[in-house]
Amino acid sequence: MYENYEIWWVTGAQLLYGGDAVVAVDAHSKEMVEGLNKSGNLPVKVVYKGTANSSSEVEDIMKAANNDPRCAGIITWMHTFSPAKMWIHGLKILSKPLLHFHTQYNAEIPWKTMDMDFMNLNQSAHGDREFGHICARMRVRRKVVTGYWKDEEAQKRIAVWQRVCVAWADSQDMRIIRFGDQMNNVAVTDGDKVEAEIRMGYHVDYMPFSSLMPYFDAVKDEDVDALVAEYFKLYAHDKKLEDKSTEEYRKVWNSAKAELTLRAVLKDKGAKGFTTNFDDLGDVNVETTGRGFDQIPGLASQRLMAEGYGFGAEGDWKSAALYRTLWVMTQGMKGGCSFLEDYTLNFDGKKSSILQAHMLEVCPLIAEERPRLEVHFLGIGIRKSLTARLVFTSKPEKGVTATVVDMGNRFRLIVNDVECIKSKALPKLPVASALWIPMPNFEVGATAWILAGGTHHSCFSYDVTPEYWEDYAEIAGLEMVHIDKDTTVENFKQQLRMGEVYYMLNKSLYL
Ligand code: MN
């Protein structure tokens, strides 16, 4: 998917120093862009778009960027002094993410040979401040990366932003389908879908469960048989599960049919994510009619998540969209990500932790071992039935989890560094799970999360760092609060109060 996008590079200059200077600026820029592309550290190709030497040139580039669906973002760099009034009209209309790279063509000052011409040509120290000023003055949301362009650390910070740019572009035509409505009476998973589309780009639709039935009816038995065979090939399982005469086999088969039904709908509707609701699974007489889902489609949700479909349980469309975004950000990375839910607490002194699971819907990308296909009774929701699912535990490594909540006048992105630890066997709870200690410790981490109004649902990744979420919040214009090793409840409360004031003053502005 990353190959479908490019990041544009525009170098700021001016004609004051003469045509020769601009030629040199152009050559340096080309070399730098080529160097970045060859570094192997950037997941998205950077395309050099030339120097901008006037207001109209800047405006033309910004218009072109806005109109090109391949362009996921723009990097600007001021080689020489680039008077920033010439950036005003372009910045006013730019609708793509912006990264201001404060770097310089040459690494070290050539102490013995440097003359005035050289200094005038290599004026990023000067020009990047002028450009930074106009961005600050215009409240342009952007990422500033400071560092030498050949330096891996600087390149890695650009890489993070590039990944977020692609995820952002992906969310601009994202459609999330709610199969069934929100779970009744739940506050935290609900919110303003209109504002979400204005702010984050994605669109949320509702499909009554009955509208799935034509898709269900169209699924061919032989396709279901083939998918069941794939399950048995992919996942560890008891050999007796393959016995076609058993109720367990029938449940696996029905799960596969549910998966094919959901796939058909999502494909037909061009949807990138979905939600389910365990209280709404269609005809309650499914056991006699044979039409509809006879169990929560947990296995399907697990598998679809692994392929990048956004998923939120109980109608949680915000988590479905956020998960899809997280999955896109981490494409090609090895750690894995999942929708998770704070399930139950384990008080154990300094090792106190939270068991993360869901009824069934945890993504196998975070599994430590080969997932195991099992069928067990699930006594919750409208179907109390034997239900297929993948069972596994998760890798004991550090990660980051995030959620978005609707605060009424804004969305708040809450991010928490967590440490997954080794879980113990749960013979009576055969579901996928993770066990983590939120940073800085269970007590402060959970307190801060609750003070911020965080959900019991979140989107977890072993790969992303808080910087990814910071870049995302910047691009989307979301409030972000980050709970990490340095968080204290006192400081965190102060940060929340500051946010209230900031967004109260600016609630009508798209800052
Ligand atoms: Mn839930």
Side-chain angles (χ1 to χ4, degrees), residues 150-168:
K150 289 182 182 171
D151 182 43
E152 201 178 343
E153 287 311 306
Q155 291 171 352
K156 281 183 175 167
R157 293 199 61 207
I158 295 172
V160 168
W161 175 82
Q162 284 191 334
R163 287 179 168 278
V164 178
C165 285
V166 172
W168 177 252

Side-chain angles (χ1 to χ4, degrees), residues 183 189 278 313-314 339-341 343 357-359 361 456-457:
M183 189 175 166
T189 55
F278 61 74
E314 296 107 48
F339 166 84
L340 282 170
E341 175 173 281
Y343 225 58
H358 203 263
M359 263 174 296
E361 303 96 336
H456 52 284
H457 288 168

Side-chain angles (χ1 to χ4, degrees), residues 58-74:
V58 169
E59 199 175 342
D60 286 348
I61 289 169
M62 300 308 194
K63 278 180 184 161
N66 290 347
N67 287 332
D68 191 335
R70 288 182 65 85
C71 175
I74 283 200

Side-chain angles (χ1 to χ4, degrees), residues 2 97 159-169 325 329 467-469 471-473 475:
Y2 282 43
V160 168
W161 175 82
Q162 284 191 334
R163 287 179 168 278
V164 178
C165 285
V166 172
W168 177 252
T325 291
M329 283 180 191
E467 187 179 356
Y468 286 77
W469 289 122
D471 288 357
Y472 176 75
I475 291 168

